[in-house]
DNA sequence: CCGGTTTAGCAAACCGGTTTAGCGAACGGT
DNA sequence: ACCGTTCGCTAAACCGGTTTGCTAAACCGG
């Protein structure tokens, strides 16, 4: 494939060929002022004809920095990239790291051990998604002395954090359905183990649930356990769980899904059952991922600024690495907002009765 | 944010604390056999209480390898992650690198220069997407002496490559529509500059176009230039370009799109125009990305094994890094196949006439 | 009790660069 | 003609580990 014999050109090779010391070669690139213009030019020309590139690892070692930051997630990378939420988040992180000239390394469990992966990672700092204070990994990172920013985890003095108002968003979604007259709802939660819409599952799920519940309680709507079902945050997951609920005799007029993908699956299930959306069933998703543009009808959902979350996390981290004047806070809480599209509509009266009867 | 004062623990600190030489400390971790079990244990315990982690960069320098591979793409990372094709590809690469204990670094132009980014990348090898032999970057990589695998680029002795039978896939798509009786077609090509479904645009686009054309020529179907339109590989792009074609008076009964996203946009445009799919319009996409699960109706499309493309690329690269017995070939060509779903149907006769009239 | 082998651990070289300290030659001023 | 700078470059230390070569002590059998 590529050459084996052709050994890499080292700085000494260039020095010898140009008849100077290796220090001179280094100067020729990094502090040309310390050499006569003539010699500097000669050295550079020798270097190019030899095809010399300074060894990045050696350079890192002396520089004491890697100019790279890591994105850490506790799942296997295969799962991570399958998750559109993550892609969007990474997009945000990448935009700012790239602009600042930083590389991006993905850190995931190596042979099952995140700790090992962290120890081996050549990064200046870490953006962690889906871990919170409790996770032992966080302690591991701190021990190594790496700056980090936790996403979707509560603030903490020792590191930066970026959060989103999940609870408020959930309240908005629930309020929307309630104000449309819906009282018979199905909540689709996210299964922790698999592909997650949002990775720091437990907390995010709880916060959203709290939001839904607050509004429903206030509206006097009972929320029995059979009304809260769990599904992986996938198209298939949402489809299956809604079909099952239907078979179980539930006849909700509104669905609150914690993930867009599952919401899209519900749309599909409804179509299959001959239920018209939004006339007979209202569906609200969560996250406002790009996939909402492909659904029919377009999905009403809770928008959260996923890309900006990535941007903010990266910004806070880079700020911590190279503190400058007027540094913004280490902790950010970003807003969520309901985006009403066409998968929700007022409760039709004739159905309302049927529903009550069913209740 | 994180502590500044707390300097990183070095190997000398451990050595001093344990009352041994730094060589001994190194042995305690890497060749425990060279130390008495007792001392080795003592050293390790001192190391853990001190929180010592060997500096990964220093270790790389002596090891002569980074245990990391790079994914290179000529676009900005922001665009890269926005591209579901890429996510899927990365998923494949990540799966095998992770399994083999390798890290994954994303390489993209730094301040506009891919060369610079390559020179700085601490990787043992590179999987390159969207570049071909002509690109000067490829030459740059070779100069640095890094093994690489080119994806969607023709085979070449010096490096590995993974391709897909784009032309055959396109033929399959065209044949499908022709055999359903369609003779009035619209081809939606991919705009090179923006978010691309497939990144090595020029070649991929040409290969697919060649495939479409071969079948249509054979069937005696004229393909005037007004029948080939270009759009970014996005939902909006497909939507807009179809609406424009319609306004221009074109009344195709079948659409061959080189990207799934644009095909989904066509579905949306058709809905907007009151055209029923597939009864009045057949649409075929390309790539078979996950988004096809969200469209209504489900999209007929040309499947290509994107994830496997990533897997194969990574495998070939790792094989080149650590050659083992029975190494598989350096070049792979993967198959494509038509997946017929519900966005295509036989041409209805009454429309056939209207179409001919229109031609 | 002695020579030979093993064992345990150390000092130093090395990986490939950057950076500091310093040295000889050219230069300028008087 | 002499002294103090400045200029241009080099030697050596350093970054933080790993690895090689070696030595001193312990161990062994005869």
């Amino acid at each position: 494939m590529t050459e084996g014999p052709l050994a890499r050109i080292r700085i000494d090779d260039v020095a010898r060929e140009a008849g100077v010391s290796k220090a001179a070669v280094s100067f020729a690139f990094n502090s040309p002022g310390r050499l006569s213009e003539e010699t500097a030019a000669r050295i550079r020309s020798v270097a190019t004809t030899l095809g010399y590139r300074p060894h990045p690892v050696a350079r890192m070692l002396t520089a004491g920095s890697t100019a790279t930051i890591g994105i850490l997630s506790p799942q296997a990378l295969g799962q991570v990239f399958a998750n559109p939420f993550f892609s969007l988040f990474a997009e945000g992180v990448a935009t700012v790291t790239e602009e600042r000239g930083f590389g991006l390394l993905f850190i995931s469990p190596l042979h099952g051990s995140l700790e090992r992966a962290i120890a081996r990672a050549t990064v200046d700092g870490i953006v962690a998604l889906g871990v919170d204070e409790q996770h032992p990994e966080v302690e591991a990172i701190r021990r190594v002395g790496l700056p980090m920013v936790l996403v979707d985890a509560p603030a903490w003095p020792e590191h930066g954090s970026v959060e989103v108002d999940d609870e408020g968003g959930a309240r908005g979604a629930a309020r929307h359905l309630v104000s449309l007259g819906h009282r018979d709802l199905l909540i689709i939660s996210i299964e922790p183990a698999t592909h997650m819409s949002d990775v720091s599952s437990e907390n995010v799920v709880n916060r959203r649930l709290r939001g839904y519940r607050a509004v429903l309680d206030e509206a006097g709507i009972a929320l029995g356990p059979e009304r809260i079902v769990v599904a992986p945050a996938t198209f298939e997951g949402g489809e299956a769980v809604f079909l099952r609920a239907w078979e179980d005799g539930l006849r909700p007029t509104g669905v609150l899904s914690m993930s867009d993908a599952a919401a899209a699956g519900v749309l599909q299930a409804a179509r299959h059952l001959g239920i018209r959306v939004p006339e007979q069933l209202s569906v609200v998703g969560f996250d406002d991922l790009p996939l909402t543009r492909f659904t029919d009808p377009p999905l009403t959902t809770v928008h959260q600024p996923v890309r900006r979350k990535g941007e903010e996390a990266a910004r806070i981290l880079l700020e911590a690495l190279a503190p400058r004047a007027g540094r913004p806070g280490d902790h950010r809480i970003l807003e969520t907002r309901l985006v009403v599209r066409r998968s929700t509509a007022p409760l039709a009266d004739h159905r309302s009765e049927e529903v009550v009867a069913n209740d």
Side-chain angles (χ1 to χ4, degrees), chain A residues 43-334:
Chain A
I43 294 177
R44 275 194 295 264
S45 110
V46 169
T48 34
T49 65
L50 254 50
Y52 168 68
R53 293 286 119 188
H55 196 304
V57 175
R59 203 198 276 251
M60 279 181 181
L61 185 58
T62 64
S65 87
T66 62
T68 302
I69 77 147
I71 293 193
L72 178 147
S73 80
Q75 289 105 18
L77 278 188
Q79 285 176 43
V80 165
F81 284 111
N83 184 337
F85 175 91
F86 187 88
S87 299
L88 202 51
F89 177 80
E91 195 183 323
V93 174
T95 305
V96 355
T97 54
E98 192 170 61
E99 172 198 319
R100 300 271 216 102
F102 274 68
L104 200 53
L105 180 77
F106 281 76
I107 306 176
S108 66
L110 237 40
H111 304 300
S113 157
L114 239 192
E115 284 226 30
R116 180 162 16 197
I118 293 169
R120 286 190 14 163
T122 59
V123 298
D124 292 339
I126 289 182
V127 169
L129 196 58
V131 299
D132 50 33
E133 282 300 332
Q134 277 84 311
H135 276 71
E137 289 81 21
V138 171
E139 185 46 33
I141 301 177
R142 187 160 14 211
R143 256 212 318 276
V144 186
L146 281 178
M148 75 180 139
V149 173
L150 259 45
V151 177
D152 282 335
W156 190 267
E158 295 208 25
H159 57 250
S161 71
V162 179
E163 293 180 81
V164 122
D165 182 16
D166 281 298
E167 193 172 334
R171 278 199 306 267
R175 204 145 38 211
H176 176 59
L177 286 192
V178 167
S179 78
L180 288 173
H182 298 275
R183 300 186 59 81
D184 196 348
L185 304 177
L186 182 69
I187 291 182
I188 301 183
S189 176
I190 299 174
E191 184 158 87
T194 8
H195 299 217
M196 295 178 272
S197 129
D198 206 337
V199 211
S200 159
S201 72
E202 210 136 45
N203 290 310
V204 170
V205 166
N206 287 341
R207 287 201 294 264
R208 292 181 184 178
L209 193 53
R210 217 162 37 234
Y212 292 149
R213 210 185 276 279
V215 170
L216 300 187
D217 280 358
E218 194 184 340
I221 299 176
L223 196 61
E226 80 286 359
R227 298 275 156 186
I228 304 180
V229 296
V230 174
T234 62
F235 187 81
E236 291 78 5
E239 188 177 13
V241 85
F242 187 81
L243 290 176
R244 190 163 352 106
W246 194 264
E247 278 177 21
D248 290 352
L250 291 178
R251 294 293 182 272
T253 65
V255 172
L256 291 168
S257 170
M258 290 195 195
S259 72
D260 282 338
V266 170
L267 257 31
Q268 169 74 2
R271 196 154 34 231
H272 183 253
L273 292 170
I275 305 172
R276 289 199 313 280
V277 176
E279 293 81 358
Q280 301 176 298
L281 180 70
S282 286
V283 179
V284 185
F286 213 115
D287 286 350
D288 196 21
L289 298 181
L291 69 89
T292 56
R293 290 189 299 193
F294 301 107
T295 64
D296 175 42
L299 196 63
T300 292
T301 189
V302 178
H303 175 86
Q304 67 158 314
V306 181
R307 192 181 346 226
R308 253 192 64 214
K309 222 151 100 173
E311 288 171 10
E312 291 294 341
R315 232 188 292 279
I316 291 175
L317 183 59
L318 292 181
E319 202 58 43
L321 292 179
R324 301 185 299 190
R327 48 184 316 197
D330 286 349
H331 306 282
R332 299 288 304 254
I333 298 188
L334 305 176

